[in-house]
mmCIF file of all heavy atoms in Angstrom:
data_model
loop_
_atom_site.group_PDB
_atom_site.id
_atom_site.type_symbol
_atom_site.label_atom_id
_atom_site.label_comp_id
_atom_site.label_asym_id
_atom_site.label_seq_id
_atom_site.Cartn_x
_atom_site.Cartn_y
_atom_site.Cartn_z
ATOM 1 N N LYS A 339 -68.884 10.624 20.269
ATOM 2 C CA LYS A 339 -70.048 9.843 19.942
ATOM 3 C C LYS A 339 -70.634 9.275 21.224
ATOM 4 O O LYS A 339 -70.020 9.177 22.292
ATOM 5 C CB LYS A 339 -69.721 8.672 19.005
ATOM 6 C CG LYS A 339 -68.740 7.650 19.621
ATOM 7 C CD LYS A 339 -68.382 6.557 18.636
ATOM 8 C CE LYS A 339 -67.460 5.565 19.281
ATOM 9 N NZ LYS A 339 -67.116 4.431 18.341
ATOM 10 N N TYR A 340 -71.948 8.948 21.104
ATOM 11 C CA TYR A 340 -72.668 8.262 22.207
ATOM 12 C C TYR A 340 -73.070 6.871 21.696
ATOM 13 O O TYR A 340 -73.707 6.762 20.703
ATOM 14 C CB TYR A 340 -73.868 9.064 22.716
ATOM 15 C CG TYR A 340 -74.356 8.611 24.051
ATOM 16 C CD1 TYR A 340 -74.040 9.374 25.177
ATOM 17 C CD2 TYR A 340 -75.092 7.454 24.261
ATOM 18 C CE1 TYR A 340 -74.408 9.000 26.435
ATOM 19 C CE2 TYR A 340 -75.499 7.092 25.535
ATOM 20 C CZ TYR A 340 -75.156 7.867 26.621
ATOM 21 O OH TYR A 340 -75.572 7.443 27.894
ATOM 22 N N THR A 341 -72.566 5.827 22.381
ATOM 23 C CA THR A 341 -72.710 4.439 21.919
ATOM 24 C C THR A 341 -73.591 3.676 22.882
ATOM 25 O O THR A 341 -73.452 3.790 24.104
ATOM 26 C CB THR A 341 -71.361 3.774 21.785
ATOM 27 O OG1 THR A 341 -70.534 4.509 20.887
ATOM 28 C CG2 THR A 341 -71.477 2.362 21.280
ATOM 29 N N VAL A 342 -74.505 2.844 22.266
ATOM 30 C CA VAL A 342 -75.286 1.885 23.075
ATOM 31 C C VAL A 342 -75.309 0.585 22.344
ATOM 32 O O VAL A 342 -75.387 0.549 21.101
ATOM 33 C CB VAL A 342 -76.738 2.434 23.292
ATOM 34 C CG1 VAL A 342 -77.437 2.576 21.959
ATOM 35 C CG2 VAL A 342 -77.512 1.536 24.179
ATOM 36 N N CYS A 343 -75.045 -0.553 23.009
ATOM 37 C CA CYS A 343 -74.968 -1.864 22.439
ATOM 38 C C CYS A 343 -75.888 -2.852 23.198
ATOM 39 O O CYS A 343 -76.047 -2.751 24.417
ATOM 40 C CB CYS A 343 -73.544 -2.403 22.484
ATOM 41 S SG CYS A 343 -72.319 -1.469 21.539
ATOM 42 N N ASN A 344 -76.379 -3.816 22.455
ATOM 43 C CA ASN A 344 -77.226 -4.872 23.058
ATOM 44 C C ASN A 344 -76.764 -6.224 22.526
ATOM 45 O O ASN A 344 -76.416 -6.385 21.381
ATOM 46 C CB ASN A 344 -78.722 -4.694 22.606
ATOM 47 C CG ASN A 344 -79.260 -3.336 23.079
ATOM 48 O OD1 ASN A 344 -79.196 -2.997 24.299
ATOM 49 N ND2 ASN A 344 -79.769 -2.546 22.158
ATOM 50 N N SER A 345 -76.714 -7.181 23.433
ATOM 51 C CA SER A 345 -76.310 -8.550 23.039
ATOM 52 C C SER A 345 -77.420 -9.148 22.135
ATOM 53 O O SER A 345 -78.596 -8.821 22.244
ATOM 54 C CB SER A 345 -76.113 -9.434 24.258
ATOM 55 O OG SER A 345 -77.305 -9.578 25.020
ATOM 56 N N LYS A 346 -76.949 -10.097 21.242
ATOM 57 C CA LYS A 346 -77.913 -10.679 20.267
ATOM 58 C C LYS A 346 -77.629 -12.160 20.104
ATOM 59 O O LYS A 346 -76.467 -12.572 19.967
ATOM 60 C CB LYS A 346 -77.770 -9.942 18.966
ATOM 61 C CG LYS A 346 -78.729 -10.470 17.876
ATOM 62 C CD LYS A 346 -78.514 -9.642 16.593
ATOM 63 C CE LYS A 346 -79.461 -10.195 15.502
ATOM 64 N NZ LYS A 346 -79.135 -11.543 15.154
ATOM 65 N N GLU A 347 -78.667 -12.960 20.012
ATOM 66 C CA GLU A 347 -78.571 -14.374 19.783
ATOM 67 C C GLU A 347 -78.498 -14.593 18.258
ATOM 68 O O GLU A 347 -78.951 -13.793 17.460
ATOM 69 C CB GLU A 347 -79.782 -15.125 20.320
ATOM 70 C CG GLU A 347 -79.920 -15.039 21.859
ATOM 71 C CD GLU A 347 -78.767 -15.688 22.583
ATOM 72 O OE1 GLU A 347 -78.249 -16.706 22.024
ATOM 73 O OE2 GLU A 347 -78.425 -15.290 23.700
ATOM 74 N N CYS A 348 -77.934 -15.763 17.902
ATOM 75 C CA CYS A 348 -77.800 -16.094 16.456
ATOM 76 C C CYS A 348 -79.178 -16.487 15.898
ATOM 77 O O CYS A 348 -79.885 -17.305 16.494
ATOM 78 C CB CYS A 348 -76.844 -17.242 16.295
ATOM 79 S SG CYS A 348 -76.688 -17.786 14.541
ATOM 80 N N GLU A 349 -79.496 -15.860 14.819
ATOM 81 C CA GLU A 349 -80.827 -16.164 14.135
ATOM 82 C C GLU A 349 -80.613 -16.948 12.866
ATOM 83 O O GLU A 349 -81.588 -17.324 12.231
ATOM 84 C CB GLU A 349 -81.552 -14.869 13.895
ATOM 85 C CG GLU A 349 -81.909 -14.039 15.117
ATOM 86 C CD GLU A 349 -82.546 -12.765 14.791
ATOM 87 O OE1 GLU A 349 -83.730 -12.741 14.379
ATOM 88 O OE2 GLU A 349 -81.895 -11.681 14.874
ATOM 89 N N ALA A 350 -79.375 -17.103 12.402
ATOM 90 C CA ALA A 350 -79.075 -17.730 11.094
ATOM 91 C C ALA A 350 -78.738 -19.196 11.333
ATOM 92 O O ALA A 350 -77.632 -19.623 11.120
ATOM 93 C CB ALA A 350 -77.930 -16.972 10.427
ATOM 94 N N GLY A 351 -79.630 -20.023 11.689
ATOM 95 C CA GLY A 351 -79.367 -21.432 11.869
ATOM 96 C C GLY A 351 -80.198 -22.271 10.896
ATOM 97 O O GLY A 351 -81.351 -21.920 10.598
ATOM 98 N N ILE A 352 -79.574 -23.330 10.400
ATOM 99 C CA ILE A 352 -80.257 -24.274 9.507
ATOM 100 C C ILE A 352 -79.999 -25.688 10.012
ATOM 101 O O ILE A 352 -78.988 -25.959 10.651
ATOM 102 C CB ILE A 352 -79.818 -24.138 8.019
ATOM 103 C CG1 ILE A 352 -78.361 -24.569 7.857
ATOM 104 C CG2 ILE A 352 -80.020 -22.711 7.522
ATOM 105 C CD1 ILE A 352 -77.950 -24.658 6.419
ATOM 106 N N THR A 353 -80.909 -26.622 9.668
ATOM 107 C CA THR A 353 -80.773 -28.040 10.055
ATOM 108 C C THR A 353 -80.915 -28.898 8.787
ATOM 109 O O THR A 353 -81.949 -28.792 8.072
ATOM 110 C CB THR A 353 -81.814 -28.426 11.084
ATOM 111 O OG1 THR A 353 -81.647 -27.611 12.250
ATOM 112 C CG2 THR A 353 -81.624 -29.888 11.488
ATOM 113 N N ILE A 354 -79.890 -29.691 8.456
ATOM 114 C CA ILE A 354 -79.975 -30.650 7.358
ATOM 115 C C ILE A 354 -80.585 -31.944 7.827
ATOM 116 O O ILE A 354 -80.122 -32.577 8.783
ATOM 117 C CB ILE A 354 -78.613 -30.918 6.763
ATOM 118 C CG1 ILE A 354 -77.955 -29.615 6.277
ATOM 119 C CG2 ILE A 354 -78.666 -31.940 5.611
ATOM 120 C CD1 ILE A 354 -78.679 -28.900 5.197
ATOM 121 N N GLU A 355 -81.672 -32.349 7.151
ATOM 122 C CA GLU A 355 -82.437 -33.531 7.574
ATOM 123 C C GLU A 355 -82.207 -34.761 6.701
ATOM 124 O O GLU A 355 -82.451 -35.887 7.089
ATOM 125 C CB GLU A 355 -83.905 -33.220 7.663
ATOM 126 C CG GLU A 355 -84.238 -32.070 8.655
ATOM 127 C CD GLU A 355 -85.692 -31.658 8.616
ATOM 128 O OE1 GLU A 355 -86.478 -32.299 7.832
ATOM 129 O OE2 GLU A 355 -86.055 -30.750 9.375
ATOM 130 N N ARG A 356 -81.728 -34.511 5.445
ATOM 131 C CA ARG A 356 -81.537 -35.609 4.506
ATOM 132 C C ARG A 356 -80.620 -35.193 3.384
ATOM 133 O O ARG A 356 -80.645 -34.083 2.942
ATOM 134 C CB ARG A 356 -82.876 -36.089 3.961
ATOM 135 C CG ARG A 356 -82.820 -37.326 3.075
ATOM 136 C CD ARG A 356 -84.123 -37.657 2.473
ATOM 137 N NE ARG A 356 -84.622 -36.733 1.426
ATOM 138 C CZ ARG A 356 -85.581 -35.830 1.627
ATOM 139 N NH1 ARG A 356 -86.190 -35.763 2.854
ATOM 140 N NH2 ARG A 356 -85.971 -34.999 0.693
ATOM 141 N N THR A 357 -79.736 -36.140 2.929
ATOM 142 C CA THR A 357 -78.959 -35.978 1.675
ATOM 143 C C THR A 357 -79.149 -37.219 0.860
ATOM 144 O O THR A 357 -79.243 -38.343 1.377
ATOM 145 C CB THR A 357 -77.460 -35.713 1.990
ATOM 146 O OG1 THR A 357 -76.936 -36.778 2.751
ATOM 147 C CG2 THR A 357 -77.258 -34.444 2.746
ATOM 148 N N ASP A 358 -79.081 -37.082 -0.432
ATOM 149 C CA ASP A 358 -79.265 -38.231 -1.369
ATOM 150 C C ASP A 358 -78.138 -38.227 -2.419
ATOM 151 O O ASP A 358 -77.787 -37.159 -3.015
ATOM 152 C CB ASP A 358 -80.626 -38.119 -2.060
ATOM 153 C CG ASP A 358 -81.782 -38.292 -1.067
ATOM 154 O OD1 ASP A 358 -81.858 -39.325 -0.376
ATOM 155 O OD2 ASP A 358 -82.588 -37.355 -1.007
ATOM 156 N N ALA A 359 -77.499 -39.434 -2.713
ATOM 157 C CA ALA A 359 -76.536 -39.567 -3.685
ATOM 158 C C ALA A 359 -76.817 -40.786 -4.536
ATOM 159 O O ALA A 359 -77.221 -41.829 -4.033
ATOM 160 C CB ALA A 359 -75.140 -39.740 -3.037
ATOM 161 N N ASN A 360 -76.657 -40.643 -5.882
ATOM 162 C CA ASN A 360 -76.808 -41.821 -6.785
ATOM 163 C C ASN A 360 -75.682 -41.819 -7.788
ATOM 164 O O ASN A 360 -75.330 -40.783 -8.385
ATOM 165 C CB ASN A 360 -78.204 -41.801 -7.447
ATOM 166 C CG ASN A 360 -78.355 -40.535 -8.318
ATOM 167 O OD1 ASN A 360 -77.981 -40.530 -9.481
ATOM 168 N ND2 ASN A 360 -79.012 -39.500 -7.754
ATOM 169 N N LEU A 361 -75.034 -43.020 -7.957
ATOM 170 C CA LEU A 361 -73.922 -43.199 -8.824
ATOM 171 C C LEU A 361 -74.339 -43.111 -10.293
ATOM 172 O O LEU A 361 -75.207 -43.855 -10.724
ATOM 173 C CB LEU A 361 -73.221 -44.494 -8.526
ATOM 174 C CG LEU A 361 -72.020 -44.822 -9.409
ATOM 175 C CD1 LEU A 361 -70.884 -43.846 -9.187
ATOM 176 C CD2 LEU A 361 -71.572 -46.266 -9.100
ATOM 177 N N ILE A 362 -73.723 -42.184 -11.031
ATOM 178 C CA ILE A 362 -73.944 -42.093 -12.463
ATOM 179 C C ILE A 362 -72.891 -42.876 -13.144
ATOM 180 O O ILE A 362 -73.156 -43.690 -14.046
ATOM 181 C CB ILE A 362 -73.952 -40.629 -12.886
ATOM 182 C CG1 ILE A 362 -75.106 -39.912 -12.201
ATOM 183 C CG2 ILE A 362 -74.051 -40.534 -14.405
ATOM 184 C CD1 ILE A 362 -75.155 -38.372 -12.463
#
Side-chain angles (χ1 to χ4, degrees):
K339 64 181 181 178
Y340 197 99
T341 302
V342 62
C343 297
N344 301 304
S345 63
K346 181 179 178 297
E347 297 295 330
C348 178
E349 300 177 72
I352 68 169
T353 301
I354 302 299
E355 299 177 0
R356 184 183 70 254
T357 57
D358 294 303
N360 61 86
L361 178 63
I362 298 174

